[in-house]
Amino acid sequence: MFDPVIAPSGTLLGLLQRGRGDGTLHALTAPRAEALEALDHCVLHDPRHDWQVENRSLYYARLYLDLNGELDAIEAHLFGAEDILDGDESRTGLALAVLGHLASYGRLDALALLRRYAAHGTNWAWALDELALRDDDAGLRALAAPVLARFPADPAGDAELAATVRDAFEPRPWRLWAEDPRTSIATRVRTAQEAGSFDRWQRQMRPAGPRPGWSVAAVLDWAQQGLERGAALHVPAARCLAAVAGSEDRAEILDAARTGTEGARCTALRHLADSADPEALPLIEAAVADGTPGVVDAAVDAFERMRTEAAVEHARRWAERPDALGAAAGRVLACRGTAQDGDLVLGALREAVRGEGPDAPTLWTLVDGAGRLGIACAAPVLRHVYRETASSHLRGRAAGALAATDPSFATGFAVECLWDCEETTRELAARHAETGDARVVERLRRLAADPAEEAEVQTAVRSRIGPDAQTM
């Protein structure tokens, strides 16, 4: 999947792509045709950088309801020729999830599209999972024959069916079909269930990896062999070292951390950092200076995991370094520093935004640190990150930091956050938004009554309105 092209944050499309609350508020006041065009574009061209983590489906489904939007564009997207040519589930996953939410709100046209796609579409398993949560038994039973017809009645087809049943995210349809009154369907599904359970048992009986009695050298060799196969195993290998290494093995591990092969060196650095060895920090610094890119990444990651006061002291010395270790030092101080480290964390935050932009991965930790340390003068940078980032998770973290550093948050960004695509951001807004704004009171009541809203959000809402809703 290609990285999505995100429109400027000041446009309606850019706001909707980011999942910002202002996107909904602007769409409801824009010409309906323009708003629906932007909404369709977002649903058909998933704007998320990490589509498996970020939320958009409920956000877009609610806007379809508010605009009374038609589903013609989604239908054309699902059943076009590209559905056969491109089987990547990320192409249709967002559209199917939006239809699932619309079906839960009572949109029968969305339910019909899901049923039809489950019977004929390429990404049918996703559609079936959506229906498993929302359709009735009769609707699911009607899909048994077309779904099973996807699997040829031969050994290869039966094996594929067994794997599909075993790995199904929502088991409800398969359980219904196993009890289907049609013998041909029930027998085939029950056979697949039994085969899947047996396969799972067999896999559990064939564990791969280290065995009891391995030596330090064997664990280090295993890590290097994994790296040569393209699998980074230094993290599990370091856990193995913790189990097999004794005090007499320290010299061997220190030598591996200095001059070992890449896999062994990564493993040894991780082990020494996790065990707070006094030599870990000097060896990490040396690895950053002369190691391969893989060793540098492992050394930096090991350093960030350290919880000792010595690690924090080294972070204060390293924070202004213009390399990966300097960036990691800023993150360490953001997580474990004290008020005296506010200037260093603020400097790292500003440098990250200036050098890498509002979507830099390092910002997640630095934004949290600005809020944790209550760095009031970080508010302008945090507002910039909030407005410009394409990551709804990072925007939510920026909102949390602003709640701790910006006195205007309750009457500003907190209001629009009530319409945000992320439930954690809506929960934050429900706890902070100033109820003197009539829009806030109405939105809180709507969230409290919405059956699709997350329980944590509704709990936060009720803590604000509760029995005093009428007096607000």
Side-chain angles (χ1 to χ4, degrees), residues 386-445:
Y386 177 95
R387 292 188 186 98
E388 299 300 328
T389 181
S391 167
S392 53
H393 277 189
L394 179 55
R395 182 178 63 252
R397 289 174 179 247
L402 284 167
T405 60
D406 186 359
S408 69
F409 178 73
T411 56
F413 285 137
V415 175
E416 76 152 284
C417 285
L418 288 170
W419 284 265
D420 197 87
C421 66
E422 295 291 342
E423 65 266 18
T424 52
T425 307
R426 296 195 298 276
E427 179 185 356
L428 176 77
R431 298 189 186 280
H432 288 87
E434 176 55 58
T435 55
D437 188 327
R439 295 177 303 169
V440 171
V441 176
E442 177 58 32
R443 182 61 176 172
L444 289 175
R445 288 174 174 157

Short mmCIF file of all heavy atoms in Angstrom, two decimals, residues 386-445:
data_model
loop_
_atom_site.label_atom_id
_atom_site.label_comp_id
_atom_site.label_asym_id
_atom_site.label_seq_id
_atom_site.Cartn_x
_atom_site.Cartn_y
_atom_site.Cartn_z
N TYR A 386 -0.47 19.24 16.69
CA TYR A 386 -1.90 18.89 16.70
C TYR A 386 -2.55 19.19 15.36
O TYR A 386 -3.29 18.39 14.81
CB TYR A 386 -2.61 19.67 17.82
CG TYR A 386 -4.10 19.41 17.88
CD1 TYR A 386 -4.62 18.46 18.73
CD2 TYR A 386 -4.98 20.12 17.06
CE1 TYR A 386 -5.99 18.21 18.77
CE2 TYR A 386 -6.34 19.87 17.09
CZ TYR A 386 -6.84 18.93 17.94
OH TYR A 386 -8.19 18.68 17.96
N ARG A 387 -2.28 20.37 14.82
CA ARG A 387 -2.94 20.79 13.57
C ARG A 387 -2.43 20.02 12.35
O ARG A 387 -3.21 19.68 11.45
CB ARG A 387 -2.72 22.28 13.33
CG ARG A 387 -3.41 23.21 14.30
CD ARG A 387 -3.27 24.65 13.83
NE ARG A 387 -3.80 25.61 14.81
CZ ARG A 387 -3.06 26.26 15.68
NH1 ARG A 387 -1.74 26.08 15.69
NH2 ARG A 387 -3.60 27.09 16.54
N GLU A 388 -1.12 19.76 12.31
CA GLU A 388 -0.52 19.32 11.07
C GLU A 388 -0.30 17.81 10.94
O GLU A 388 -0.22 17.30 9.83
CB GLU A 388 0.83 20.03 10.87
CG GLU A 388 0.73 21.54 10.78
CD GLU A 388 -0.13 21.99 9.62
OE1 GLU A 388 -0.16 21.29 8.58
OE2 GLU A 388 -0.81 23.04 9.74
N THR A 389 -0.16 17.09 12.05
CA THR A 389 0.15 15.68 11.92
C THR A 389 -0.96 14.92 11.21
O THR A 389 -2.15 15.22 11.38
CB THR A 389 0.41 15.04 13.30
OG1 THR A 389 0.75 13.66 13.10
CG2 THR A 389 -0.82 15.11 14.19
N ALA A 390 -0.55 13.94 10.40
CA ALA A 390 -1.52 13.08 9.75
C ALA A 390 -1.91 11.90 10.62
O ALA A 390 -2.83 11.16 10.29
CB ALA A 390 -0.95 12.57 8.42
N SER A 391 -1.21 11.71 11.74
CA SER A 391 -1.48 10.59 12.64
C SER A 391 -2.50 10.99 13.69
O SER A 391 -2.25 11.89 14.50
CB SER A 391 -0.19 10.14 13.33
OG SER A 391 -0.47 9.27 14.41
N SER A 392 -3.63 10.33 13.70
CA SER A 392 -4.65 10.67 14.70
C SER A 392 -4.19 10.27 16.11
O SER A 392 -4.60 10.90 17.09
CB SER A 392 -5.98 9.98 14.36
OG SER A 392 -5.81 8.59 14.17
N HIS A 393 -3.33 9.26 16.22
CA HIS A 393 -2.81 8.90 17.55
C HIS A 393 -1.87 9.98 18.08
O HIS A 393 -1.93 10.33 19.26
CB HIS A 393 -2.09 7.56 17.47
CG HIS A 393 -3.01 6.39 17.56
ND1 HIS A 393 -2.58 5.09 17.70
CD2 HIS A 393 -4.36 6.31 17.52
CE1 HIS A 393 -3.61 4.28 17.75
NE2 HIS A 393 -4.71 4.99 17.63
N LEU A 394 -0.99 10.47 17.21
CA LEU A 394 -0.09 11.53 17.65
C LEU A 394 -0.88 12.80 17.99
O LEU A 394 -0.55 13.49 18.96
CB LEU A 394 0.96 11.82 16.58
CG LEU A 394 1.96 12.94 16.88
CD1 LEU A 394 2.67 12.70 18.21
CD2 LEU A 394 2.96 13.09 15.75
N ARG A 395 -1.90 13.09 17.20
CA ARG A 395 -2.73 14.26 17.53
C ARG A 395 -3.37 14.10 18.91
O ARG A 395 -3.45 15.04 19.69
CB ARG A 395 -3.81 14.45 16.47
CG ARG A 395 -4.67 15.69 16.74
CD ARG A 395 -5.72 15.93 15.67
NE ARG A 395 -6.70 14.85 15.58
CZ ARG A 395 -6.75 13.98 14.60
NH1 ARG A 395 -5.87 14.03 13.61
NH2 ARG A 395 -7.67 13.02 14.58
N GLY A 396 -3.82 12.90 19.23
CA GLY A 396 -4.41 12.66 20.54
C GLY A 396 -3.39 12.87 21.66
O GLY A 396 -3.72 13.41 22.72
N ARG A 397 -2.15 12.46 21.43
CA ARG A 397 -1.11 12.69 22.43
C ARG A 397 -0.82 14.17 22.57
O ARG A 397 -0.60 14.66 23.69
CB ARG A 397 0.16 11.94 22.03
CG ARG A 397 0.03 10.43 22.19
CD ARG A 397 1.26 9.71 21.63
NE ARG A 397 1.14 8.27 21.79
CZ ARG A 397 1.89 7.52 22.59
NH1 ARG A 397 2.82 8.09 23.33
NH2 ARG A 397 1.72 6.22 22.67
N ALA A 398 -0.84 14.88 21.43
CA ALA A 398 -0.64 16.33 21.50
C ALA A 398 -1.76 16.99 22.27
O ALA A 398 -1.54 17.94 23.05
CB ALA A 398 -0.54 16.90 20.09
N ALA A 399 -2.98 16.50 22.09
CA ALA A 399 -4.11 17.05 22.84
C ALA A 399 -3.93 16.82 24.33
O ALA A 399 -4.19 17.70 25.16
CB ALA A 399 -5.42 16.41 22.36
N GLY A 400 -3.45 15.62 24.70
CA GLY A 400 -3.20 15.35 26.11
C GLY A 400 -2.14 16.25 26.69
O GLY A 400 -2.25 16.72 27.83
N ALA A 401 -1.08 16.51 25.91
CA ALA A 401 -0.02 17.41 26.38
C ALA A 401 -0.53 18.84 26.49
O ALA A 401 -0.18 19.57 27.42
CB ALA A 401 1.17 17.34 25.44
N LEU A 402 -1.38 19.26 25.56
CA LEU A 402 -1.95 20.61 25.63
C LEU A 402 -2.86 20.76 26.84
O LEU A 402 -2.92 21.83 27.46
CB LEU A 402 -2.72 20.91 24.34
CG LEU A 402 -1.85 21.24 23.12
CD1 LEU A 402 -2.69 21.21 21.85
CD2 LEU A 402 -1.17 22.59 23.29
N ALA A 403 -3.56 19.71 27.19
CA ALA A 403 -4.42 19.77 28.37
C ALA A 403 -3.61 20.06 29.63
O ALA A 403 -4.11 20.67 30.58
CB ALA A 403 -5.20 18.47 28.53
N ALA A 404 -2.34 19.63 29.61
CA ALA A 404 -1.47 19.84 30.78
C ALA A 404 -0.65 21.12 30.70
O ALA A 404 -0.10 21.54 31.72
CB ALA A 404 -0.52 18.64 30.92
N THR A 405 -0.57 21.74 29.52
CA THR A 405 0.32 22.89 29.37
C THR A 405 -0.35 24.16 28.87
O THR A 405 0.20 25.25 29.03
CB THR A 405 1.46 22.54 28.38
OG1 THR A 405 0.88 22.21 27.10
CG2 THR A 405 2.28 21.37 28.88
N ASP A 406 -1.53 24.05 28.26
CA ASP A 406 -2.16 25.20 27.60
C ASP A 406 -3.46 25.58 28.31
O ASP A 406 -4.44 24.84 28.25
CB ASP A 406 -2.45 24.84 26.14
CG ASP A 406 -2.99 26.02 25.35
OD1 ASP A 406 -3.15 27.10 25.93
OD2 ASP A 406 -3.24 25.85 24.14
N PRO A 407 -3.51 26.71 28.98
CA PRO A 407 -4.74 27.11 29.70
C PRO A 407 -5.95 27.29 28.78
O PRO A 407 -7.09 27.21 29.25
CB PRO A 407 -4.34 28.44 30.35
CG PRO A 407 -2.85 28.43 30.41
CD PRO A 407 -2.40 27.66 29.20
N SER A 408 -5.71 27.52 27.49
CA SER A 408 -6.83 27.74 26.57
C SER A 408 -7.38 26.44 25.99
O SER A 408 -8.32 26.47 25.19
CB SER A 408 -6.39 28.65 25.42
OG SER A 408 -5.45 27.99 24.58
N PHE A 409 -6.82 25.30 26.39
CA PHE A 409 -7.24 24.04 25.78
C PHE A 409 -8.72 23.77 25.99
O PHE A 409 -9.42 23.35 25.07
CB PHE A 409 -6.41 22.88 26.36
CG PHE A 409 -6.82 21.53 25.85
CD1 PHE A 409 -6.50 21.15 24.56
CD2 PHE A 409 -7.52 20.64 26.66
CE1 PHE A 409 -6.88 19.89 24.06
CE2 PHE A 409 -7.90 19.39 26.18
CZ PHE A 409 -7.58 19.02 24.89
N ALA A 410 -9.25 24.01 27.17
CA ALA A 410 -10.64 23.67 27.49
C ALA A 410 -11.63 24.39 26.60
O ALA A 410 -12.70 23.86 26.27
CB ALA A 410 -10.94 23.95 28.96
N THR A 411 -11.30 25.62 26.20
CA THR A 411 -12.22 26.39 25.35
C THR A 411 -11.80 26.37 23.88
O THR A 411 -12.49 26.95 23.04
CB THR A 411 -12.28 27.86 25.83
OG1 THR A 411 -10.95 28.40 25.83
CG2 THR A 411 -12.87 27.94 27.22
N GLY A 412 -10.68 25.71 23.58
CA GLY A 412 -10.18 25.67 22.21
C GLY A 412 -10.24 24.29 21.62
O GLY A 412 -11.31 23.79 21.26
N PHE A 413 -9.08 23.64 21.54
CA PHE A 413 -9.02 22.34 20.87
C PHE A 413 -9.90 21.29 21.54
O PHE A 413 -10.38 20.36 20.88
CB PHE A 413 -7.58 21.85 20.82
CG PHE A 413 -6.73 22.55 19.80
CD1 PHE A 413 -5.44 22.94 20.09
CD2 PHE A 413 -7.22 22.81 18.53
CE1 PHE A 413 -4.64 23.58 19.16
CE2 PHE A 413 -6.44 23.45 17.58
CZ PHE A 413 -5.15 23.84 17.90
N ALA A 414 -10.12 21.39 22.84
CA ALA A 414 -10.93 20.38 23.52
C ALA A 414 -12.34 20.31 22.95
O ALA A 414 -12.95 19.24 22.92
CB ALA A 414 -10.99 20.67 25.02
N VAL A 415 -12.86 21.43 22.47
CA VAL A 415 -14.22 21.44 21.92
C VAL A 415 -14.27 20.60 20.65
O VAL A 415 -15.11 19.71 20.50
CB VAL A 415 -14.68 22.88 21.65
CG1 VAL A 415 -16.05 22.88 20.97
CG2 VAL A 415 -14.74 23.67 22.95
N GLU A 416 -13.34 20.85 19.71
CA GLU A 416 -13.37 20.06 18.47
C GLU A 416 -13.02 18.60 18.72
O GLU A 416 -13.45 17.71 18.00
CB GLU A 416 -12.45 20.66 17.41
CG GLU A 416 -10.97 20.43 17.60
CD GLU A 416 -10.21 20.42 16.27
OE1 GLU A 416 -10.29 19.42 15.54
OE2 GLU A 416 -9.54 21.42 15.98
N CYS A 417 -12.24 18.33 19.78
CA CYS A 417 -11.86 16.94 20.07
C CYS A 417 -13.07 16.06 20.41
O CYS A 417 -12.97 14.83 20.35
CB CYS A 417 -10.85 16.89 21.22
SG CYS A 417 -9.18 17.41 20.76
N LEU A 418 -14.17 16.66 20.76
CA LEU A 418 -15.38 15.87 21.02
C LEU A 418 -15.87 15.15 19.77
O LEU A 418 -16.63 14.19 19.86
CB LEU A 418 -16.49 16.76 21.57
CG LEU A 418 -16.31 17.27 23.00
CD1 LEU A 418 -17.34 18.33 23.32
CD2 LEU A 418 -16.41 16.11 23.99
N TRP A 419 -15.46 15.63 18.61
CA TRP A 419 -15.83 14.99 17.33
C TRP A 419 -14.66 14.22 16.73
O TRP A 419 -14.74 13.77 15.60
CB TRP A 419 -16.29 16.06 16.34
CG TRP A 419 -17.67 16.60 16.59
CD1 TRP A 419 -18.83 16.17 16.01
CD2 TRP A 419 -18.04 17.68 17.45
NE1 TRP A 419 -19.89 16.92 16.46
CE2 TRP A 419 -19.44 17.85 17.35
CE3 TRP A 419 -17.32 18.52 18.31
CZ2 TRP A 419 -20.14 18.84 18.06
CZ3 TRP A 419 -18.01 19.49 19.02
CH2 TRP A 419 -19.40 19.64 18.90
N ASP A 420 -13.56 14.05 17.45
CA ASP A 420 -12.36 13.43 16.90
C ASP A 420 -12.61 11.96 16.56
O ASP A 420 -13.51 11.31 17.12
CB ASP A 420 -11.21 13.54 17.91
CG ASP A 420 -9.86 13.29 17.27
OD1 ASP A 420 -9.27 14.26 16.76
OD2 ASP A 420 -9.40 12.12 17.26
N CYS A 421 -11.77 11.41 15.67
CA CYS A 421 -11.94 10.02 15.25
C CYS A 421 -11.45 9.02 16.29
O CYS A 421 -11.86 7.85 16.27
CB CYS A 421 -11.22 9.78 13.93
SG CYS A 421 -9.42 9.93 14.03
N GLU A 422 -10.56 9.43 17.19
CA GLU A 422 -10.01 8.51 18.19
C GLU A 422 -10.80 8.60 19.50
O GLU A 422 -10.99 9.67 20.05
CB GLU A 422 -8.54 8.84 18.46
CG GLU A 422 -7.62 8.64 17.27
CD GLU A 422 -7.45 7.18 16.90
OE1 GLU A 422 -7.75 6.31 17.73
OE2 GLU A 422 -7.01 6.92 15.77
N GLU A 423 -11.18 7.45 20.01
CA GLU A 423 -11.99 7.45 21.23
C GLU A 423 -11.22 8.00 22.43
O GLU A 423 -11.81 8.64 23.31
CB GLU A 423 -12.53 6.05 21.54
CG GLU A 423 -11.49 5.00 21.86
CD GLU A 423 -11.08 4.21 20.64
OE1 GLU A 423 -11.33 4.67 19.50
OE2 GLU A 423 -10.52 3.11 20.81
N THR A 424 -9.90 7.77 22.48
CA THR A 424 -9.13 8.30 23.61
C THR A 424 -9.11 9.82 23.58
O THR A 424 -9.10 10.47 24.64
CB THR A 424 -7.70 7.76 23.58
OG1 THR A 424 -7.13 7.99 22.28
CG2 THR A 424 -7.67 6.26 23.87
N THR A 425 -9.11 10.39 22.39
CA THR A 425 -9.14 11.86 22.27
C THR A 425 -10.51 12.39 22.65
O THR A 425 -10.63 13.43 23.31
CB THR A 425 -8.77 12.29 20.84
OG1 THR A 425 -7.52 11.69 20.48
CG2 THR A 425 -8.64 13.79 20.74
N ARG A 426 -11.57 11.69 22.25
CA ARG A 426 -12.92 12.11 22.65
C ARG A 426 -13.09 12.00 24.17
O ARG A 426 -13.73 12.85 24.79
CB ARG A 426 -13.98 11.25 21.94
CG ARG A 426 -14.01 11.42 20.44
CD ARG A 426 -15.27 10.87 19.82
NE ARG A 426 -15.45 9.44 20.02
CZ ARG A 426 -14.92 8.49 19.27
NH1 ARG A 426 -14.14 8.81 18.25
NH2 ARG A 426 -15.16 7.21 19.51
N GLU A 427 -12.50 10.97 24.76
CA GLU A 427 -12.57 10.83 26.21
C GLU A 427 -11.87 11.99 26.91
O GLU A 427 -12.40 12.57 27.88
CB GLU A 427 -11.93 9.51 26.63
CG GLU A 427 -11.95 9.28 28.13
CD GLU A 427 -11.21 8.02 28.55
OE1 GLU A 427 -10.74 7.27 27.66
OE2 GLU A 427 -11.08 7.79 29.77
N LEU A 428 -10.69 12.35 26.42
CA LEU A 428 -9.97 13.50 26.97
C LEU A 428 -10.81 14.77 26.87
O LEU A 428 -10.92 15.54 27.82
CB LEU A 428 -8.64 13.67 26.23
CG LEU A 428 -7.80 14.89 26.62
CD1 LEU A 428 -7.09 14.62 27.94
CD2 LEU A 428 -6.78 15.20 25.53
N ALA A 429 -11.42 14.97 25.71
CA ALA A 429 -12.24 16.17 25.50
C ALA A 429 -13.45 16.17 26.42
O ALA A 429 -13.84 17.22 26.95
CB ALA A 429 -12.68 16.24 24.04
N ALA A 430 -14.04 15.00 26.62
CA ALA A 430 -15.22 14.93 27.48
C ALA A 430 -14.89 15.33 28.91
O ALA A 430 -15.75 15.82 29.65
CB ALA A 430 -15.79 13.52 27.46
N ARG A 431 -13.64 15.15 29.31
CA ARG A 431 -13.23 15.51 30.68
C ARG A 431 -12.81 16.97 30.79
O ARG A 431 -12.79 17.52 31.89
CB ARG A 431 -12.09 14.60 31.13
CG ARG A 431 -12.46 13.13 31.20
CD ARG A 431 -11.39 12.29 31.86
NE ARG A 431 -11.70 10.87 31.80
CZ ARG A 431 -12.55 10.25 32.62
NH1 ARG A 431 -13.18 10.95 33.54
NH2 ARG A 431 -12.79 8.96 32.51
N HIS A 432 -12.47 17.62 29.65
CA HIS A 432 -11.90 18.95 29.74
C HIS A 432 -12.71 20.05 29.05
O HIS A 432 -12.57 21.22 29.42
CB HIS A 432 -10.48 18.96 29.13
CG HIS A 432 -9.47 18.25 29.97
ND1 HIS A 432 -9.23 16.90 29.87
CD2 HIS A 432 -8.61 18.71 30.91
CE1 HIS A 432 -8.28 16.55 30.72
NE2 HIS A 432 -7.89 17.63 31.36
N ALA A 433 -13.51 19.72 28.05
CA ALA A 433 -14.16 20.76 27.25
C ALA A 433 -15.06 21.64 28.12
O ALA A 433 -15.82 21.14 28.96
CB ALA A 433 -14.98 20.13 26.12
N GLU A 434 -14.96 22.93 27.91
CA GLU A 434 -15.74 23.90 28.68
C GLU A 434 -17.21 23.83 28.30
O GLU A 434 -17.59 23.99 27.14
CB GLU A 434 -15.20 25.31 28.40
CG GLU A 434 -15.98 26.42 29.06
CD GLU A 434 -16.11 26.23 30.56
OE1 GLU A 434 -15.07 26.13 31.23
OE2 GLU A 434 -17.27 26.14 31.04
N THR A 435 -18.06 23.55 29.28
CA THR A 435 -19.48 23.35 29.00
C THR A 435 -20.26 24.65 28.83
O THR A 435 -21.46 24.62 28.62
CB THR A 435 -20.13 22.53 30.13
OG1 THR A 435 -19.88 23.17 31.38
CG2 THR A 435 -19.56 21.12 30.15
N GLY A 436 -19.57 25.79 28.91
CA GLY A 436 -20.26 27.04 28.62
C GLY A 436 -20.61 27.17 27.15
O GLY A 436 -21.46 27.99 26.78
N ASP A 437 -19.97 26.37 26.30
CA ASP A 437 -20.27 26.35 24.87
C ASP A 437 -21.45 25.41 24.63
O ASP A 437 -21.42 24.24 24.98
CB ASP A 437 -19.02 25.86 24.11
CG ASP A 437 -19.15 25.97 22.60
OD1 ASP A 437 -20.27 25.83 22.09
OD2 ASP A 437 -18.13 26.22 21.94
N ALA A 438 -22.50 25.94 24.01
CA ALA A 438 -23.72 25.14 23.80
C ALA A 438 -23.43 23.90 22.97
O ALA A 438 -24.07 22.85 23.16
CB ALA A 438 -24.79 25.99 23.13
N ARG A 439 -22.48 23.99 22.03
CA ARG A 439 -22.15 22.83 21.22
C ARG A 439 -21.60 21.69 22.07
O ARG A 439 -21.85 20.52 21.79
CB ARG A 439 -21.11 23.20 20.16
CG ARG A 439 -21.55 24.19 19.11
CD ARG A 439 -20.39 24.51 18.18
NE ARG A 439 -19.24 25.02 18.94
CZ ARG A 439 -18.02 25.17 18.41
NH1 ARG A 439 -17.79 24.84 17.15
NH2 ARG A 439 -17.03 25.65 19.15
N VAL A 440 -20.88 22.05 23.12
CA VAL A 440 -20.27 21.04 23.98
C VAL A 440 -21.36 20.27 24.72
O VAL A 440 -21.35 19.03 24.77
CB VAL A 440 -19.30 21.70 24.98
CG1 VAL A 440 -18.84 20.68 26.01
CG2 VAL A 440 -18.10 22.27 24.24
N VAL A 441 -22.32 20.97 25.27
CA VAL A 441 -23.39 20.31 26.03
C VAL A 441 -24.17 19.37 25.13
O VAL A 441 -24.44 18.21 25.49
CB VAL A 441 -24.32 21.36 26.65
CG1 VAL A 441 -25.49 20.68 27.36
CG2 VAL A 441 -23.56 22.24 27.63
N GLU A 442 -24.53 19.83 23.94
CA GLU A 442 -25.29 18.99 23.02
C GLU A 442 -24.49 17.77 22.59
O GLU A 442 -25.01 16.66 22.49
CB GLU A 442 -25.71 19.82 21.80
CG GLU A 442 -26.45 19.03 20.73
CD GLU A 442 -27.72 18.36 21.26
OE1 GLU A 442 -28.35 18.93 22.17
OE2 GLU A 442 -28.06 17.26 20.76
N ARG A 443 -23.19 17.97 22.32
CA ARG A 443 -22.36 16.85 21.90
C ARG A 443 -22.18 15.83 23.02
O ARG A 443 -22.22 14.61 22.77
CB ARG A 443 -20.99 17.37 21.44
CG ARG A 443 -20.06 16.29 20.92
CD ARG A 443 -20.64 15.59 19.70
NE ARG A 443 -19.72 14.62 19.13
CZ ARG A 443 -20.04 13.77 18.17
NH1 ARG A 443 -21.26 13.77 17.65
NH2 ARG A 443 -19.14 12.92 17.70
N LEU A 444 -22.00 16.29 24.23
CA LEU A 444 -21.87 15.37 25.35
C LEU A 444 -23.12 14.51 25.50
O LEU A 444 -23.05 13.30 25.73
CB LEU A 444 -21.60 16.14 26.64
CG LEU A 444 -20.22 16.79 26.78
CD1 LEU A 444 -20.15 17.63 28.05
CD2 LEU A 444 -19.10 15.75 26.77
N ARG A 445 -24.27 15.12 25.35
CA ARG A 445 -25.52 14.35 25.47
C ARG A 445 -25.66 13.34 24.34
O ARG A 445 -26.13 12.21 24.55
CB ARG A 445 -26.70 15.32 25.49
CG ARG A 445 -26.80 16.10 26.80
CD ARG A 445 -27.89 17.14 26.74
NE ARG A 445 -28.06 17.78 28.06
CZ ARG A 445 -28.60 18.98 28.23
NH1 ARG A 445 -29.02 19.67 27.20
NH2 ARG A 445 -28.72 19.47 29.45
#
